[in-house]
Amino acid sequence: MLLKDRILTSRIDLNHFLNHIAVPYIVLDTDRTALFANRSFEALTGFPVDRCPGVPCRHITRCGVCIQGCPALKLEATDQPVTVKTDMINFNRKRVSVKMVVSPLKDNAGKAAGFIETFYDISYMEESVATPESSYSFRGIVGRSSRMEKIFDILPVLAQSDASVLITGETGTGKDKVAEEIHNASPRAEEPFIKINCGALPETLLESELFGHTKGAFTGAVDSKPGRFRLAHNGTLYLTEIGDLPLTLQVKLLTVLDDGAVFPLGGNKRVPVNVRLIAATHRNLEEMVAEGRFRQDLFYRLNVARLHLPALRERNGDVRLLLDYFLHFYASKAGRQCKEFSDSALELLGTYAYPGNVRELSNIVEYAVAVCEGETIRGDHLPSYIKEVPAERGVRSDPAEKTEVPHAAKTFQPQAVDEVPSWKSVEKQMIMDALVKTGGHKGKAASILGWGRSTLWRKMKQYGIDR
Amino acid sequence: MVRNVLIPLYKDETAPRFDLCAEVLIAGYDNGRRISENIIVLQQPSAEDLCHMILKEKIDLVICGGIEEEYYQYLNWKDVKVIDDVIGEKDSVLDRYEKGGLKRGDILFAQPTEKLEKE
């Protein structure tokens, strides 16, 4: 007997086999209720595959075509696979563009036995069409400051390597976006990209989410769960807010990274996993290591390649670029006529400090586009808090704008790229001023500066103010 | 206390998608007792229009299937509670809600093990 025939006629562990196919698919009964799906399907949709059986597929796949005209119904007429481009809203509340292929399943007698639906995530293709590459961007990440140019240079290199990446930067600087784009530009792009927020779940739940559990492992574990590591098999696992990972889980994570395998909770079977790890945090991990709050060995394991995303205030010339980029983006998306900012709006937007960085800038423009009914966004179309925010917190502390011409930056001239040291000196001066104002009270000074006490402490140490 | 609950519908079930639903059920409750039930057919499926209607009709709770984060956050911001990813027929959903046990991700269709038990 030929090898091919032996394989095709042998009994195989179908569940195990199908779960290792990287293409997400779901098998349906003739009445279009789900029979089973594989783990890649769970990674794409977020729907737990063990809860699939018996549920009408439209409630699981949630594709536009499921509501507007089920493609499986067309199969009855043609008997040939049907391919459609559509979108789905997954169980992480995210809209994902997909290509969906629906094929009929027949039994040995050639009688209809059901359907198989396979899915291909094409959202990254659509994004690249919507936002063409330019010399100022990398897959939708925009900037032309020297700090961002360095990042654009290194991103393709990092994407092609398989090294762990640690992304640091303040909140709103685009850590999630960068992680996703590294994955999309990597050889693992066709495989799952799984994200988990280490700060969003209690320790016990996080452990089960990361490493999975077996049925009966703890009270309430009524079913086995694969865990994010196994869902990300052959793909990328993105651990955001890694600085919030409890110490006990840090040890377990390190073990998994060293061994390349997980042991689900309550199980004693070793499950090999091939996962590329990207971690991100807004915390200072070096400081946490020094304070004993983060394991040094894990830090070195994650810090193979380091990417620090600059705060918007450190990206000279990028504010105007981003304002125009988001204006065009939101105006096209919402079908609005807005084309430009008035001088007064630019003055406000140019002097604002953006403590929430690019995310905040994007939200401000989205708001302005929604409110503006004409072609020009004026100052009164901007959120009122921009105008009301106290000077110490809200206004950019760029020396040229703060000390010489406050609220008068009518145009955004890209500034000299070697101004970073001057920002440091201004920051030092800001700290000194705040401390003088509060009579040396660090807590009050931190509050004035809009920082946490630990940030103030770290920066004081950095600038040698504590001596 | 009067409380209004809205369920986007697809036939007799919760609509799989908030943005594509063509009709909604609005159930009114007075001190936990259902006092009214109306089905409203929408002019056209639109998440924006539906959000507008939810605010206009002073809805306190939306029970739905898939909803995008943007609309979920918007409704929460407007103090409208949303229980999403709920799968089931409208009567079972309201029944579960009235008993106080409805939560995100509930599947109220009989699944194979339950079917076997019933048989």
Side-chain angles (χ1 to χ4, degrees):
Chain A
M1 189 187 274
L2 292 171
L3 177 64
K4 185 188 81 172
D5 296 332
R6 279 215 312 274
I7 291 172
L8 288 177
T9 54
S10 66
R11 286 172 179 275
I12 55 169
D13 181 351
L14 192 65
N15 195 33
H16 177 83
F17 168 71
L18 296 173
N19 268 331
H20 282 79
I21 293 179
V23 179
Y25 75 86
I26 182 166
V27 176
L28 311 175
D29 209 339
T30 45
D31 62 358
R32 291 175 288 144
T33 55
L35 291 171
F36 58 89
N38 69 348
R39 210 165 280 151
S40 299
F41 182 83
E42 180 169 338
L44 176 71
T45 61
F47 189 88
V49 291
D50 53 353
R51 300 186 73 197
C52 277
V55 178
C57 70
R58 57 184 171 273
H59 287 288
I60 303 174
T61 58
R62 305 201 298 208
C63 288
V65 290
C66 302
I67 319 295
Q68 290 148 345
C70 174
L73 294 176
K74 293 177 192 166
L75 285 180
E76 288 166 3
T78 65
D79 213 27
Q80 291 295 314
V82 174
T83 304
V84 280
K85 277 187 184 174
T86 182
D87 61 356
M88 61 165 57
I89 291 179
N90 70 16
F91 285 72
N92 299 317
R93 303 192 186 111
K94 193 176 170 192
R95 185 188 290 268
V96 183
S97 296
V98 289
K99 187 171 85 178
M100 176 186 188
V101 182
V102 190
S103 312
L105 288 176
K106 307 262 179 179
D107 62 13
N108 287 341
K111 204 175 143 199
F115 308 95
I116 181 164
E117 292 180 348
T118 46
F119 296 86
Y120 301 87
D121 182 350
I122 55 167
S123 45
Y124 67 96
M125 283 164 61
E126 307 235 317
E127 278 166 21
S128 62
V129 171
T131 54
E133 301 281 323
S134 76
S135 55
Y136 300 137
S137 71
F138 174 81
R139 304 177 77 98
I141 304 162
V142 179
R144 68 175 165 211
S145 58
S146 58
R147 301 282 298 269
M148 289 310 287
E149 273 177 13
K150 281 179 193 163
I151 286 170
F152 294 151
D153 286 345
I154 197 139
L155 274 180
V157 183
L158 285 183
Q160 289 308 308
S161 88
D162 215 25
S164 300
V165 181
L166 177 62
I167 307 171
T168 54
E170 288 179 12
T171 181
T173 47
K175 298 185 286 292
D176 289 13
K177 177 82 178 155
V178 166
E180 204 166 340
E181 294 312 330
I182 289 176
H183 168 78
N184 287 339
S186 77
R188 294 174 181 260
E190 296 294 322
E191 308 290 344
F193 175 79
I194 303 291
K195 176 183 167 183
I196 183 160
N197 186 331
C198 300
L201 295 170
E203 185 173 337
T204 43
L205 210 56
L206 184 59
E207 185 172 5
S208 141
E209 275 295 317
L210 274 173
F211 309 113
H213 63 246
T214 56
K215 190 174 176 179
F218 48 84
T219 313
V222 287
D223 290 304
S224 296
K225 188 170 187 166
R228 302 289 172 115
F229 260 99
R230 285 166 75 186
L231 288 176
H233 185 55
N234 288 331
T236 305
L237 181 66
Y238 173 46
L239 301 172
T240 175
E241 304 303 349
I242 188 82
D244 295 336
L245 191 70
L247 271 170
T248 45
L249 288 188
Q250 290 177 23
V251 184
K252 199 161 177 185
L253 176 62
L254 186 66
T255 314
V256 172
L257 295 179
D258 286 342
D259 296 352
V262 290
F263 286 90
L265 275 173
N268 50 13
K269 202 175 152 195
R270 181 178 182 275
V271 184
V273 284
N274 170 18
V275 167
R276 189 213 187 153
L277 199 73
I278 302 179
T281 182
H282 68 281
R283 297 186 189 280
N284 185 334
L285 286 189
E286 282 95 340
E287 198 177 286
M288 290 180 72
V289 168
E291 291 167 359
R293 289 187 291 132
F294 199 84
R295 285 187 67 96
Q296 193 171 32
D297 38 12
L298 178 61
F299 173 68
Y300 289 135
R301 189 71 176 71
L302 297 173
N303 197 27
V304 179
R306 177 73 163 267
L307 206 56
H308 180 73
L309 300 182
L312 195 51
R313 62 178 175 277
E314 297 166 329
R315 294 171 56 177
N316 292 323
D318 278 355
V319 171
R320 179 60 193 267
L321 186 73
L322 287 163
L323 285 172
D324 288 342
Y325 172 82
F326 285 117
L327 173 63
H328 175 71
F329 176 79
Y330 287 119
S332 318
K333 192 178 168 191
R336 307 299 289 251
Q337 299 302 311
C338 318
K339 285 180 184 162
E340 58 183 5
F341 295 95
S342 70
D343 284 351
S344 62
L346 281 177
E347 188 180 317
L348 282 166
L349 291 165
T351 49
Y352 185 64
Y354 302 100
N357 293 298
V358 182
R359 185 190 290 131
E360 188 183 13
L361 182 144
S362 162
N363 291 344
I364 289 170
V365 179
E366 187 176 9
Y367 175 90
V369 168
V371 171
C372 174
E373 286 177 349
E375 291 190 351
T376 305
I377 290 177
R378 300 188 308 269
D380 56 321
H381 293 138
L382 301 174
S384 54
Y385 71 89
I386 291 186
K387 300 161 227 169
E388 291 161 5
V389 76
E392 291 90 342
R393 296 188 57 170
V395 177
R396 280 182 93 185
S397 8
D398 191 303
E401 289 164 351
K402 190 180 180 184
T403 56
E404 293 169 19
V405 278
H407 293 269
K410 288 191 175 172
T411 55
F412 291 80
Q413 295 300 324
Q415 292 155 18
V417 293
D418 56 354
E419 277 193 1
V420 177
S422 71
W423 162 248
K424 282 183 178 171
S425 63
V426 172
E427 194 172 56
K428 186 177 174 182
Q429 192 55 48
M430 279 165 61
I431 296 170
M432 299 286 279
D433 289 348
L435 285 168
V436 169
K437 231 181 249 178
T438 59
H441 193 291
K442 289 179 193 167
K444 287 180 186 167
S447 167
I448 285 178
L449 292 162
W451 297 339
R453 283 175 65 94
S454 62
T455 309
L456 177 63
W457 173 83
R458 180 167 51 78
K459 287 188 184 277
M460 282 174 66
K461 205 173 167 190
Q462 183 187 341
Y463 297 130
I465 298 175
D466 54 338
R467 280 187 298 229
Chain B
M1 193 183 80
V2 178
R3 193 169 161 79
N4 291 322
V5 177
L6 180 142
I7 306 178
L9 291 179
Y10 176 80
K11 298 176 183 168
D12 277 340
E13 306 163 0
T14 50
R17 285 178 49 158
F18 181 84
D19 59 334
L20 296 178
C21 93
E23 54 187 302
V24 297
L25 166 75
I26 298 178
Y29 287 86
D30 190 0
N31 287 317
R33 198 170 54 86
R34 202 187 310 172
I35 51 167
S36 64
E37 202 179 309
N38 293 309
I39 289 182
I40 299 171
V41 177
L42 306 176
Q43 271 190 336
Q44 57 179 26
S46 157
E48 279 88 359
D49 292 353
L50 189 48
C51 283
H52 181 69
M53 177 186 174
I54 287 165
L55 300 181
K56 207 176 111 198
E57 297 290 331
K58 296 189 171 34
I59 301 296
D60 303 288
L61 170 70
V62 172
I63 302 171
C64 62
I67 180 170
E68 272 184 277
E69 185 73 21
E70 185 183 348
Y71 301 109
Y72 177 83
Q73 294 296 352
Y74 174 75
L75 290 173
N76 270 310
W77 177 52
K78 290 287 182 184
D79 286 333
V80 179
K81 196 182 169 202
V82 180
I83 304 177
D84 59 337
D85 297 338
V86 175
I87 300 172
E89 291 187 351
K90 65 178 194 318
D91 294 336
S92 321
V93 172
L94 285 177
D95 192 42
R96 176 73 67 92
Y97 163 70
E98 285 159 15
K99 285 176 182 158
L102 190 71
K103 58 183 188 308
R104 185 185 181 194
D106 271 348
I107 299 173
L108 304 176
F109 283 115
Q111 293 193 270
T113 47
E114 296 166 38
K115 276 182 190 167
L116 286 174
E117 279 164 17
K118 278 178 190 168
E119 281 162 14

